[in-house]
Structure formats: structure tokens, C-alpha cells
């Protein structure tokens, strides 16, 4: 396909595809799917080889969130039967993180439900970061605490945080249909605050909420403009007791096309398969490793994931290798002070919202949306987390 040859060439040059090209990836047929995976895999291997970065979630505070995000089992009014607990103590969080690190993770993601942290919350998380780093000096720590106020990102960095996660989740035009208690602009502002403080920004999306192909392309292009180092791609976990419990819109093939589109638009960025891969990719998970270079190990915030041992076996069986603690995830141009470095203000400066590489002119004619044959809903695959942080049971790592 001429389309795929063009996208590979652009990906190797860090050149942004047109919107029409991105939409065309989502509109490919099942007969073309392996060609799409192979093409995006060339871009993935060019920038990241066959390494897979492992990340581990620690849910510091679960449930009882005042925000009304429709996709979230911790939302205001959620009837999902999830674990609910207040802040873990630093030593408890450090022990939880140690389980993931022992399983091969090189980054620990510290997450807390809520609109955003108070200054006291930042103190708590800072103490937790220090406790983790005292035991594991080389570990990367990413905080995910909601909307940031002025000065909080700087305090987290001073405490030893390496990154901050705050996802855009969906397109700006449809954001108000998913959440009403804060705005899309609030989320963009927090990502920019993390950048400005010198933290590595992590921001991604959720697919499967009933969005169109155009919505998916919109949010990925918005992410490209924000230029995060890491883009997590979540696939909606339709929890019973949430407004989106009946949204079963994804097939494994659809998930692979979405991951391929993200890789073509963000060729040199850490693309991470996040929540919902076991529910929607299922036996196609190994193919997704040809598109993404990062996954979460073990369980998620409120749902159980694939066994950690099975994750490691899957990576090895697919011919990939776990990225070591001493290896640098990102290509040199994103870390060595060149284009894309957050140390300087050259090409890729986040004040101006620029991105690395040459940006192609956007095409105005959208490609037709693919007609996906959605599988029967599989609520049996949505398992509420009952182990690890906040429980007396051993974590899955």
C-alpha cells in the first residue's frame, strides 16, 4: 500500500502524517491489518528496537472521587464495587512499588483519585517518592494526582519525581459529553505545568467510549502538539455501575489500528498499552507489542490485569526483551539536549506548543470510518482488583 510506505517514511523522519492519512489507517480492512502492523512495527523498531518498558501502578488512594468522569469506576456516584481506601502511608506505598520493581518494572506510577492534590497531599506524595527512591535509587517515578495548582509540579520534581501523567482522554469537541466537573483546557494546562517544571510529561487517551475516528485523530494530534514523552493508550474497561458500562465498541483489530495510528503520529514517543488490553486485545496482545514499546505490568487501579508472569512470558515469546533499568527509553534527540529535550527552548519548545520534525499540511477530506463488527460484550473479563495496594493480599507483579 502506498499509504503505508508513505507513513513509514514519515515516521522514520519524525514527520507528522496528514489527518487524512491518520484516518485512513483507522479505515483499513481486516485483510490489510497485518500489513498495517508490519509498517508501524518498522517505525517502532527504528526508534525503540525490540525493547519493552515495564511500568507498575500503585493506587495511593482509591475511590470517592468528586469528579464525574463517565469512564471511571472511582467517579462521583459510581456504583462499581471497587476497593475504597484513603492514602497509603509512604512505607506501604514503597512496599507495593517494590513488588513491581522485583517483577521487572523500571517505572512506578503513583496514582491518587481526586480533582487534584492539596499542598498537604503533595507533601504526602513527596514523602512516598523519597521512600521509594531510598530503596531503589534508579527507579523512575511518575505521579498522577489530577489537576495541578501553581508550584505543585516544581515541588514534586524537587522530591524526586521524574514524570507527571495527566491524560487528555478524548477530543476537545466531545470532552464535555464525558466529564462536566472540569474542562479539556484544565487538562491541557496541567500537562503544560508538568513540562514547565522540567518533569517528563505523560499524557494519553481512552478509546472505546463511543467516539468517532475523527475524535481519535483529533486527540492524538492534540497530544502530538503537546509533545509528551509518553502516550498511554487506554481501552475503556466498561465497569458495571458507571455510565459507560454498556459501551462495548472495540474489537482486537480495532485496537491494533488505533495503536498503529498513534505510532505513526507519535513515532519517537513511548507509546504505552495501558488499561483494558486484556479485555479488548485478548489473544492479540503479542501483536500489539509490534506497535507499542511500553506496557503496565500486573494490575491496574481498580481492575485486575494479566498475571505478571504471563506478561513476561508474552514479551519473550513474541521475540521482545524487557528494557533494563540502565537503558534509556527515549531516542537520544529527545533526551540529549537536542530537539525534543525539555532542558532547552529550541525546536520542540512547549511554550509555543511546537513539535519535533516537519509538520505536513493537514488534509481537509476525512477518510471514511471503518465499519467494525463489534464482538459480544465480555463483562466476565472485567475483574475488580482485590489484591495489592489497600489489601492484605500479595500484589500481582
Amino acid at each position: 500500500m502506498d499509504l503505508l510506505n508513505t507513513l513509514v517514511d514519515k515516521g522514520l523522519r519524525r514527520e507528522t502524517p496528514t489527518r487524512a492519512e491518520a484516518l485512513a489507517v483507522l479505515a483499513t480492512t481486516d485483510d490489510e491489518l497485518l500489513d498495517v502492523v508490519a509498517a508501524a512495527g518498522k517505525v517502532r523498531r527504528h526508534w525503540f528496537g525490540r525493547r519493552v518498558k515495564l511500568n507498575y501502578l500503585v493506587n495511593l488512594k482509591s475511590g470517592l472521587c468528586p469528579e464525574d468522569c463517565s469512564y471511571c469506576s472511582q467517579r462521583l456516584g459510581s456504583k462499581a464495587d471497587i476497593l475504597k481506601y484513603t492514602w497509603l502511608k509512604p512505607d506501604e506505598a514503597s512496599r507495593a512499588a517494590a513488588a513491581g520493581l522485583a517483577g521487572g518494572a523500571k517505572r512506578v506510577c503513583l496514582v491518587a483519585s481526586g480533582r487534584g492534590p492539596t499542598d498537604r497531599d503533595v507533601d504526602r506524595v513527596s514523602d512516598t517518592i523519597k521512600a521509594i527512591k531510598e530503596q531503589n535509587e534508579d527507579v523512575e517515578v511518575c505521579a498522577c494526582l489530577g489537576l495541578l495548582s501553581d508550584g505543585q509540579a516544581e515541588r514534586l520534581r524537587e522530591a524526586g519525581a521524574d514524570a507527571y501523567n495527566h491524560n487528555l482522554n478524548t477530543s476537545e469537541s466531545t470532552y464535555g459529553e464525558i466529564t462536566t466537573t472540569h474542562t479539556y483546557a484544565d487538562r491541557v494546562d496541567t500537562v503544560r505545568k508538568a513540562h514547565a517544571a522540567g518533569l517528563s510529561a505523560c499524557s494519553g487517551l481512552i478509546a472505546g467510549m463511543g467516539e468517532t475516528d475523527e475524535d481519535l485523530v483529533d486527540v492524538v494530534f492534540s497530544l502530538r502538539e503537546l509533545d509528551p514523552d509518553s502516550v498511554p493508550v487506554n481501552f475503556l474497561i466498561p465497569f458495571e455501575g458507571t455510565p459507560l458500562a454498556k459501551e462495548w465498541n472495540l474489537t482486537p483489530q480495532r485496537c491494533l489500528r488505533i495503536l498503529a495510528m498513534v505510532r505513526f503520529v507519535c513515532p519517537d514517543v513511548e507509546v504505552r498499552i495501558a488499561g483494558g488490553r486484556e479485555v479488548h486485545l485478548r489473544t492479540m496482545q503479542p501483536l500489539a507489542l509490534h506497535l507499542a514499546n511500553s506496557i503496565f505490568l500486573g494490575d491496574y487501579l481498580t481492575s485486575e490485569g494479566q498475571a505478571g508472569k504471563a506478561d513476561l512470558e508474552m514479551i519473550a515469546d513474541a521475540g521482545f526483551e524487557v528494557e533494563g533499568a540502565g537503558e534509556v527509553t527515549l531516542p537520544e534527540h529527545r533526551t540529549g539536549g537536542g530537539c525534543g529535550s525539555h532542558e532547552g527552548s529550541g525546536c520542540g519548545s512547549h511554550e509555543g506548543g511546537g513539535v519535533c520534525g516537519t509538520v505536513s499540511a493537514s488534509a481537509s477530506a476525512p477518510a471514511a470510518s471503518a465499519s467494525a463488527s463489534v464482538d459480544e460484550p465480555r463483562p466476565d473479563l472485567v475483574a475488580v482488583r482485590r489484591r495489592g495496594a489497600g489489601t492484605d493480599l500479595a500484589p500481582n507483579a
Side-chain angles (χ1 to χ4, degrees):
M1 293 174 66
D2 289 342
L3 168 69
L4 297 179
N5 291 332
T6 298
L7 288 170
V8 171
D9 288 344
K10 287 185 173 183
L12 300 185
R13 298 195 304 266
R14 294 187 289 123
E15 183 179 338
T16 309
T18 65
R19 284 182 52 84
E21 288 166 344
L23 286 165
V25 172
L26 297 178
T28 52
T29 67
D30 285 352
D31 287 342
E32 298 164 325
L33 182 60
L34 287 180
D35 293 331
V36 172
V37 172
K42 290 180 182 178
V43 179
R44 181 252 199 264
R45 289 191 302 278
H46 177 80
W47 296 112
F48 300 97
R50 302 190 74 83
R51 293 174 287 118
V52 178
K53 180 176 181 178
L54 298 182
N55 309 268
Y56 191 70
L57 283 167
V58 177
N59 196 354
L60 297 177
K61 179 169 73 77
S62 183
L64 307 175
C65 183
E67 303 297 289
D68 68 353
C69 307
S70 299
Y71 51 82
C72 185
S73 60
Q74 304 181 78
R75 73 186 296 272
L76 178 69
S78 171
K79 294 180 172 56
D81 184 26
I82 60 168
L83 289 170
K84 298 180 179 68
Y85 53 86
T86 190
W87 289 94
L88 297 182
K89 294 182 173 58
D91 62 325
E92 294 173 323
S94 183
R95 285 197 298 271
L101 297 173
K106 67 180 292 184
R107 172 174 286 193
V108 171
C109 304
L110 302 175
V111 188
S113 62
R115 177 179 178 84
T118 64
D119 287 340
R120 184 182 177 191
D121 294 336
V122 172
D123 289 339
R124 284 192 182 101
V125 177
S126 296
D127 289 343
T128 296
I129 293 169
K130 291 171 184 174
I132 292 172
K133 293 221 166 187
E134 282 174 4
Q135 300 296 320
N136 305 274
E137 185 178 352
D138 296 330
V139 67
E140 296 177 14
V141 176
C142 179
C144 177
L145 312 173
L147 301 173
L148 291 174
S149 301
D150 289 345
Q152 290 183 328
E154 288 79 3
R155 290 173 58 197
L156 290 168
R157 188 182 184 192
E158 289 170 7
D162 301 282
Y164 195 84
N165 166 263
H166 199 62
N167 296 328
L168 297 187
N169 290 328
T170 193
S171 67
E172 183 174 13
S173 63
T174 59
Y175 195 83
E177 300 171 18
I178 298 298
T179 304
T180 66
T181 47
H182 61 266
T183 67
Y184 181 90
D186 291 333
R187 288 189 169 266
V188 170
D189 178 65
T190 286
V191 177
R192 288 179 172 157
K193 280 185 168 73
H195 267 316
L199 292 167
S200 175
C202 173
S203 187
L205 64 141
I206 304 173
M209 297 190 291
E211 69 283 336
T212 64
D213 285 3
E214 288 77 10
D215 289 324
L216 285 170
V217 169
D218 282 349
V219 68
V220 176
F221 271 67
S222 294
L223 289 166
R224 167 87 192 206
E225 290 174 9
L226 282 175
D227 197 25
D229 290 323
S230 176
V231 175
V233 180
N234 295 276
F235 301 109
L236 176 71
I237 302 177
F239 274 95
E240 290 295 331
T242 66
L244 299 184
K246 306 304 179 187
E247 294 287 342
W248 290 86
N249 304 308
L250 297 172
T251 64
Q253 294 83 0
R254 171 76 167 167
C255 294
L256 290 171
R257 291 187 190 96
I258 292 168
L259 287 168
M261 185 269 287
V262 174
R263 174 55 71 199
F264 286 130
V265 178
C266 304
D268 60 338
V269 168
E270 176 190 344
V271 176
R272 182 183 312 156
I273 317 172
R277 65 177 163 95
E278 298 89 345
V279 177
H280 297 294
L281 280 163
R282 300 190 290 278
T283 59
M284 302 283 267
Q285 290 181 69
L287 270 183
L289 296 176
H290 291 271
L291 309 169
N293 62 295
S294 180
I295 66 170
F296 279 109
L297 176 73
D299 293 335
Y300 303 99
L301 297 177
T302 60
S303 65
E304 292 188 354
Q306 185 168 278
K309 184 174 182 289
D311 286 336
L312 298 177
E313 290 175 347
M314 175 182 72
I315 291 168
D317 289 348
F320 292 88
E321 59 187 24
V322 173
E323 184 173 287
E327 295 180 279
V328 178
T329 301
L330 297 171
E332 186 177 358
H333 64 267
R334 293 191 68 89
T335 59
C339 181
S341 167
H342 306 306
E343 299 298 319
S345 57
C347 176
S349 167
H350 306 297
E351 292 300 318
V355 298
C356 300
T358 304
V359 180
S360 301
S362 295
S364 58
S369 297
S371 56
S373 175
V374 179
D375 295 343
E376 287 296 314
R378 290 293 305 276
D380 58 301
L381 295 178
V382 181
V384 173
R385 180 173 68 84
R386 301 296 186 198
R387 59 196 176 194
T391 77
D392 295 326
L393 299 177
N396 172 26

